[in-house]
C-alpha cells in the first residue's frame, strides 16, 4: 500500500525550530518528486516547498530562507527543517507525492502533522 | 506570482443537483490545473489533473474543463458523500491553490 506518514509536529515558541519527517512506503521513493503543503486552522491549502528527483528545490516566498527541504532516498524519507518559526507558521503540514514524471500533480498525501507556534 | 481566484467560497445544493465551481488564473497557465477534494479532518484527495483528466477511481460525476484562464469543475449530480471543500491548484509556475469552495447539502 502506498503510504506517507508525517511526524515531528508539536508546540514551539516563536523563533524556535522544528524538523518534520515524512516516511514513505509502498513505492520507489527515489523516483518521485515530493512536496510539503500546509493548512492553517480554518484556512485553505498553501504550498510550502518541493524537491525533485534530482534534488532541485523550490520554496514559497513565505518560508524562503527559514525552511529547508531535504530527502534521504536510502531511508525513504522527506524532511522539512523549520527555523525562525512565527505564529503564522501554525498549521497542519502535509507531505504529498507528485505523480511520477510530473511536477505539480500531487496524487498521494499523508495524514498531516500539526505545528503550533505560540509562546 | 500566479493568483488563483476560486468562486464561490461556499454553496448549498440539494442531492442530485448539478454543482459548478470556477477558478480563474491571473495569467495563462495552459492546462496545468488540478482539482482536489478535502473532507473535514482529512488530507486532500486528487480528483482531476491537467484541467480535465479524471484521476483513476474517481466517479464520473466529477468533471473539469478549461477555457483560456478560466477553469470549471462540475459535480453532475451531487451525492451526500460529496460534502467537502474543493480546491483548484495551478502548477504552471511553482504551485498556487485557490481559496477553496465549501459544498454543503441543502
Amino acid at each position: 500500500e502506498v503510504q506517507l506518514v508525517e511526524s515531528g509536529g508539536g508546540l514551539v515558541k516563536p523563533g524556535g525550530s522544528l524538523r518534520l519527517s515524512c516516511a514513505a512506503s509502498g513505492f520507489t521513493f527515489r523516483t518521485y518528486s515530493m512536496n510539503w503543503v500546509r493548512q492553517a486552522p480554518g484556512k485553505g491549502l498553501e504550498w510550502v516547498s518541493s524537491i525533485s528527483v534530482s534534488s532541485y528545490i523550490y520554496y514559497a516566498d513565505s518560508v524562503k530562507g527559514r525552511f529547508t527541504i531535504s530527502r534521504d532516498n536510502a531511508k525513504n524519507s522527506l524532511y522539512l527543517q523549520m527555523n525562525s518559526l512565527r505564529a503564522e507558521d501554525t498549521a497542519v503540514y502535509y507531505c504529498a507525492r507528485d505523480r511520477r514524471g510530473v511536477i505539480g500533480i500531487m496524487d498521494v498525501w499523508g495524514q498531516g502533522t500539526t505545528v503550533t507556534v505560540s509562546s | 506570482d500566479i493568483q488563483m481566484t476560486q468562486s464561490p467560497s461556499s454553496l448549498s445544493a440539494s442531492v442530485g443537483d448539478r454543482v459548478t465551481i470556477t477558478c480563474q488564473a491571473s495569467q495563462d497557465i495552459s492546462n496545468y490545473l488540478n482539482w482536489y477534494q478535502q473532507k473535514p479532518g482529512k488530507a486532500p484527495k486528487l480528483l482531476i489533473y491537467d484541467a480535465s483528466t479524471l484521476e483513476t477511481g474517481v466517479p464520473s460525476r466529477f468533471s473539469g474543463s478549461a477555457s483560456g484562464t478560466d477553469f470549471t469543475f462540475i459535480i453532475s449530480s451531487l451525492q451526500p458523500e460529496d460534502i467537502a471543500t474543493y480546491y483548484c491548484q495551478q502548477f504552471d509556475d511553482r504551485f498556487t491553490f485557490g481559496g477553496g469552495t465549501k459544498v454543503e447539502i441543502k
Side-chain angles (χ1 to χ4, degrees):
Chain A
E1 178 192 5
V2 173
Q3 196 171 11
L4 298 171
V5 179
E6 303 95 333
S7 61
L11 175 63
V12 61
K13 289 182 168 54
S17 298
L18 213 53
R19 189 196 196 205
L20 306 184
S21 299
C22 172
S25 59
F27 64 100
T28 307
F29 177 75
R30 59 180 170 79
T31 64
Y32 289 83
S33 295
M34 299 295 296
N35 310 277
W36 287 101
V37 175
R38 69 184 180 183
Q39 186 168 36
K43 302 297 184 182
L45 301 171
E46 179 189 17
W47 169 72
V48 173
S49 182
S50 300
I51 184 166
S52 72
V53 170
S54 55
S55 290
Y56 185 81
I57 287 170
Y58 32 115
Y59 298 100
D61 290 343
S62 58
V63 306
K64 197 177 299 182
R66 300 188 299 123
F67 290 11
T68 302
I69 191 172
S70 62
R71 63 190 301 161
D72 185 336
N73 292 333
K75 294 184 178 180
N76 292 331
S77 292
L78 176 72
Y79 304 102
L80 186 67
Q81 177 67 42
M82 304 186 295
N83 298 331
S84 302
L85 282 162
R86 307 165 179 167
E88 54 264 36
D89 296 318
T90 294
V92 175
Y93 285 73
Y94 296 100
C95 72
R97 185 189 82 171
D98 273 335
R99 177 178 296 280
R100 186 171 183 176
V102 180
I103 293 176
I105 300 175
M106 301 177 200
D107 66 347
V108 177
W109 294 65
Q111 85 290 346
T113 188
T114 300
V115 173
T116 303
V117 184
S118 174
S119 55
Chain B
D1 290 5
I2 298 175
Q3 308 301 317
M4 302 301 297
T5 303
Q6 186 173 342
S7 61
S9 57
S10 65
L11 64 89
S12 182
S14 299
V15 172
D17 280 357
R18 179 183 178 93
V19 168
T20 301
I21 299 169
T22 63
C23 247
Q24 183 175 60
S26 59
Q27 64 189 67
D28 179 23
I29 60 169
S30 187
N31 282 347
Y32 297 126
L33 190 284
N34 305 320
W35 291 95
Y36 298 86
Q37 175 193 65
Q38 186 180 32
K39 296 184 177 181
K42 301 294 187 181
K45 173 187 175 183
L46 178 67
L47 297 182
I48 290 171
Y49 61 94
D50 291 343
S52 61
T53 304
L54 205 63
E55 174 71 334
T56 302
V58 173
S60 59
R61 64 180 179 274
F62 297 100
S63 65
S65 64
S67 177
T69 58
D70 295 327
F71 299 85
T72 302
F73 173 82
I74 291 174
I75 307 173
S76 61
S77 177
L78 186 67
Q79 300 302 303
E81 60 266 31
D82 300 335
I83 299 313
T85 300
Y86 295 84
Y87 295 92
C88 63
Q89 174 237 331
Q90 68 81 19
F91 60 105
D92 177 68
D93 178 18
R94 299 194 294 176
F95 313 129
T96 313
F97 288 91
T101 298
K102 186 175 183 179
V103 175
E104 298 176 320
I105 295 286
K106 191 182 295 183

